Amino acid sequence: MKESELKKFTRYIGEKGLKSTSQRYDIVKAFLKSKGHLSVEDLHHKVQKFNPKIGYATVYRTLKLLTDSGIAVERYFDDGQTRYEHLSPEEHHDHLICVKCGNIIEFEEKKIEALQDDVARDHGFKVLSHKLELYGYCNSCNSINTPGD
Amino acid sequence: MKESELKKFTRYIGEKGLKSTSQRYDIVKAFLKSKGHLSVEDLHHKVQKFNPKIGYATVYRTLKLLTDSGIAVERYFDDGQTRYEHLSPEEHHDHLICVKCGNIIEFEEKKIEALQDDVARDHGFKVLSHKLELYGYCNSCNSINTPGD
DNA sequence: GTCAGTGCAAACCTTTTGCACAGGT
DNA sequence: ACCTGTGCAAAAGGTTTGCACTGAC
């Protein structure tokens, strides 16, 4: 029995005795509607359409709630901004990142995940989440690149 | 034929027509002597012992050179500081990170790397480097943790 | 009515940059 | 002598925090 992410948030708010405010719901809904790797800036911008008075601080604070409630995960790429993406254990994906054009391709590989679990077990580690990023040249950038050097 | 990392730096400096200054060598040597994931703060502190006048700016600038010359790689964990570690393709390692105590365990798994190459190939991607981090509870934190949530 | 949540601005921290001086070439 | 590199301090991002006001309970 799978509950929607919005329900999950509502439940989290309830369990923690937090208040359900319109700002929080605007932000959560904007987040859930989006996909990919949202920066705080992105999300703040989207939320402005619902409620132009919402400030960065509230977005930051709500994003923390989303992270704590297991709906979102923080990601650190190399652009100096923390980005947030949906956490859905069943459809976890990893990233191929082109260092030339910055394009990010998502992929999924069950066999790698299985091996990860093996490694973790060997170290007595209980894995909650993981992050796998491959950096290199994507197909198009690779063909431009001269192989000799 | 494998050259030392210091030689590699010297060569890089020469090729680019950059100047070899004592500050640069102090920083590079301090970096090469260290292991693990150095923050700029860490490295600055270490370098102070050789030359107390070296400032943060020079450390940052030299670390960029180290990155460009393929001696160091930047890493982004979740503490808001960029960390640098040695790049040695032959002895690449990945990380198990305890979300409770912050302990970082390094590991290496050739089979995972092989699968990564397969995935990359499927996408026409030429991989230069990668980053694999497993987040969870380490052995000691796990035993403290009550399994029944 | 109380107390957590919000919005704003200031504070903070890491990283970058401008500029005058130092030092490698 | 030239011109890059350095050190300092200021600036520039991104993120957090203090505080008075708002609004959920």
Side-chain angles (χ1 to χ4, degrees):
Chain A
M1 179 186 170
K2 179 103 172 53
E3 72 185 340
S4 82
E5 294 184 286
L6 190 56
K7 276 242 173 78
K8 194 169 178 179
F9 181 71
T10 305
R11 187 165 56 81
Y12 180 81
I13 289 290
E15 281 171 359
K16 292 273 178 180
L18 304 172
K19 291 178 181 170
S20 59
T21 66
S22 65
Q23 289 93 329
R24 281 179 178 165
Y25 277 92
D26 285 343
I27 294 169
V28 173
K29 277 185 275 185
F31 174 78
L32 294 178
K33 248 198 270 185
S34 318
K35 57 176 68 172
H37 320 96
L38 280 242
S39 67
V40 176
E41 199 181 351
D42 293 338
L43 189 55
H44 179 253
H45 184 244
K46 279 172 195 278
V47 168
Q48 293 285 307
K49 290 170 191 154
F50 295 91
N51 180 348
K53 298 211 65 192
I54 291 182
Y56 273 92
T58 303
V59 177
Y60 273 104
R61 289 188 274 228
T62 305
L63 240 9
K64 283 235 144 38
L65 293 181
L66 280 171
T67 305
D68 291 345
S69 61
I71 295 168
V73 272
E74 297 185 333
R75 296 225 159 242
Y76 311 90
F77 298 113
D78 57 0
D79 63 350
Q81 288 195 194
T82 303
R83 293 175 174 278
Y84 292 81
E85 73 177 24
H86 294 230
L87 171 65
S88 11
E90 290 107 69
E91 41 176 289
H92 179 85
H93 54 261
D94 296 306
H95 301 105
L96 283 161
I97 301 172
C98 180
V99 296
K100 197 154 193 172
C101 68
N103 189 23
I104 299 180
I105 301 169
E106 300 184 342
F107 71 90
E108 201 190 340
E109 179 52 83
K110 295 286 183 211
K111 278 182 280 182
I112 291 180
E113 315 222 338
L115 284 169
Q116 287 174 8
D117 290 342
D118 291 348
V119 170
R121 199 172 310 116
D122 290 349
H123 289 269
F125 218 88
K126 178 169 165 29
V127 174
L128 297 176
S129 69
H130 74 265
K131 206 192 289 197
L132 171 58
E133 288 155 21
L134 307 182
Y135 294 88
Y137 294 115
C138 73
N139 209 350
S140 18
C141 293
N142 200 23
S143 30
I144 302 166
N145 234 36
T146 40
D149 179 353
Chain B
M1 179 186 171
K2 178 104 172 58
E3 73 186 339
S4 83
E5 293 184 286
L6 190 57
K7 276 243 172 76
K8 194 169 177 178
F9 183 71
T10 305
R11 187 164 56 81
Y12 179 81
I13 289 290
E15 280 172 1
K16 291 274 179 180
L18 303 173
K19 291 177 180 170
S20 60
T21 67
S22 66
Q23 289 93 329
R24 281 179 178 163
Y25 277 92
D26 285 343
I27 294 169
V28 172
K29 278 187 273 185
F31 175 78
L32 294 178
K33 247 199 269 185
S34 318
K35 56 176 70 172
H37 320 96
L38 281 240
S39 66
V40 175
E41 199 182 349
D42 293 339
L43 189 54
H44 179 253
H45 184 245
K46 280 172 194 277
V47 168
Q48 294 284 308
K49 289 169 193 155
F50 294 91
N51 178 348
K53 298 211 64 192
I54 290 183
Y56 273 91
T58 303
V59 177
Y60 274 103
R61 290 187 274 228
T62 305
L63 240 10
K64 284 236 144 38
L65 293 181
L66 280 171
T67 305
D68 290 346
S69 60
I71 295 168
V73 271
E74 299 186 333
R75 296 228 158 241
Y76 311 89
F77 298 112
D78 57 358
D79 64 349
Q81 289 194 193
T82 303
R83 294 176 174 277
Y84 292 81
E85 74 177 24
H86 294 230
L87 170 65
S88 12
E90 289 108 71
E91 41 175 291
H92 179 85
H93 55 259
D94 296 305
H95 301 106
L96 282 160
I97 300 172
C98 180
V99 296
K100 198 154 194 171
C101 67
N103 189 23
I104 298 180
I105 301 168
E106 299 184 343
F107 71 91
E108 200 190 342
E109 178 52 85
K110 295 287 184 211
K111 278 181 280 183
I112 291 180
E113 316 223 339
L115 284 169
Q116 287 174 7
D117 290 341
D118 291 348
V119 170
R121 200 173 308 117
D122 290 349
H123 289 269
F125 217 90
K126 176 169 167 31
V127 174
L128 297 175
S129 69
H130 75 264
K131 207 194 285 198
L132 170 59
E133 287 156 20
L134 307 182
Y135 294 86
Y137 294 114
C138 72
N139 210 349
S140 17
C141 292
N142 200 23
S143 30
I144 302 166
N145 234 37
T146 40
D149 180 8

